[in-house]
């Protein structure tokens, strides 16, 4: 339970009380800095079964904050929104609290949905077009030669070739 004070006015305090460690800063900003080239700041903790795991790290060579595969980034008191990559797939989960809202707040800008185009590239499949909305109508734009297919077996198809429109 000994306390260590640093700074002219005892601005920084560190202590252990027998059940936890505490670090306090009473003046200015708190910096954690690693100046070794291409090295990281690694956050580790107990893994729940007696071992220690890295939960995330600040990657000094890329500038990214990285979470190892399987780790979950949670928001809200009960992990109401989570982001995860399991090594194969990526997930955004709203876990039973409220709606999941994706909002673009910049005037006349869009939300673009892009994916693999089947030939090694990436293409936009559709967009929510904020620039064409006029206060009365909103628009979802699909590129020419896009097919909107409904039903497990694509039973209903809506298609526009750039010249003609089709409903099958």
């Amino acid at each position: 339970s000994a306390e260590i004070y640093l700074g002219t006015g005892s601005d920084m305090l560190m202590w252990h009380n027998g059940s936890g460690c505490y670090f306090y800063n009473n003046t200015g900003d708190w910096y954690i800095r690693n100046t070794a080239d291409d090295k990281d700041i690694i956050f580790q903790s107990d893994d729940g079964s007696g071992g220690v795991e890295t939960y995330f790290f600040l990657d000094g060579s890329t500038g990214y904050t990285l979470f190892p595969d399987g780790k979950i980034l949670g928001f809200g008191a009960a992990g109401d929104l989570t982001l995860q990559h399991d090594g194969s797939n990526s997930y955004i989960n709203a876990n039973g609290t409220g709606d999941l809202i994706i909002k673009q707040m910049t005037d006349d800008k869009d939300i673009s949905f892009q994916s693999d185009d089947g030939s090694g590239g990436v293409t936009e499949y559709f967009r929510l077009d904020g620039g064409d909305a006029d206060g009365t109508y909103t628009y979802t734009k699909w590129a020419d030669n896009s097919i909107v297919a409904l039903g497990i077996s694509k039973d209903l198809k809506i298609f526009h070739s750039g010249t003609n429109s089709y409903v099958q």
Side-chain angles (χ1 to χ4, degrees), residues 12 23 25 29-36 39-43 56 58:
M12 185 200 157
F23 295 87
N25 174 29
D29 296 323
W30 182 278
Y31 294 89
I32 298 172
R33 184 179 294 178
N34 180 0
T35 60
K39 297 300 178 186
D40 307 329
I41 297 176
I42 302 167
F43 293 82
F56 71 96
L58 310 178

Side-chain angles (χ1 to χ4, degrees), residues 56-75:
F56 71 96
F57 60 98
L58 310 178
D59 189 322
S61 61
T62 64
Y64 293 167
T65 299
L66 295 174
F67 292 77
D69 289 343
K71 298 298 177 215
I72 298 171
L73 177 59
F75 298 90

Side-chain angles (χ1 to χ4, degrees), residues 9-150:
S10 298
D11 301 319
M12 185 200 157
L13 167 63
M14 216 162 41
W15 85 90
H16 184 275
N17 67 1
S19 63
C21 295
Y22 299 86
F23 295 87
Y24 279 87
N25 174 29
N26 296 315
T27 304
D29 296 323
W30 182 278
Y31 294 89
I32 298 172
R33 184 179 294 178
N34 180 0
T35 60
D37 286 346
D38 295 332
K39 297 300 178 186
D40 307 329
I41 297 176
I42 302 167
F43 293 82
Q44 297 181 325
S45 187
D46 177 68
D47 66 359
S49 62
V52 174
E53 282 192 43
T54 297
Y55 282 80
F56 71 96
F57 60 98
L58 310 178
D59 189 322
S61 61
T62 64
Y64 293 167
T65 299
L66 295 174
F67 292 77
D69 289 343
K71 298 298 177 215
I72 298 171
L73 177 59
F75 298 90
D80 303 316
L81 173 71
T82 61
L83 305 174
Q84 180 186 24
H85 180 75
D86 65 9
S88 299
N89 297 300
S90 299
Y91 304 91
I92 300 172
N93 295 303
N95 296 323
T97 303
D99 297 323
L100 176 61
I101 299 169
I102 299 171
K103 190 182 291 190
Q104 165 58 281
M105 300 292 290
T106 306
D107 285 347
D108 298 329
K109 295 299 177 185
D110 308 329
I111 297 175
S112 175
F113 291 83
Q114 302 177 12
S115 188
D116 175 64
D117 66 1
S119 65
V122 174
T123 192
E124 178 180 85
Y125 278 71
F126 68 95
R127 76 175 42 227
L128 307 179
D129 195 318
D132 277 352
D134 61 11
T136 302
Y137 298 104
T138 58
Y139 295 89
T140 303
K141 286 191 170 179
W142 304 76
D144 288 341
N145 298 312
S146 294
I147 296 174
V148 176
L150 302 171

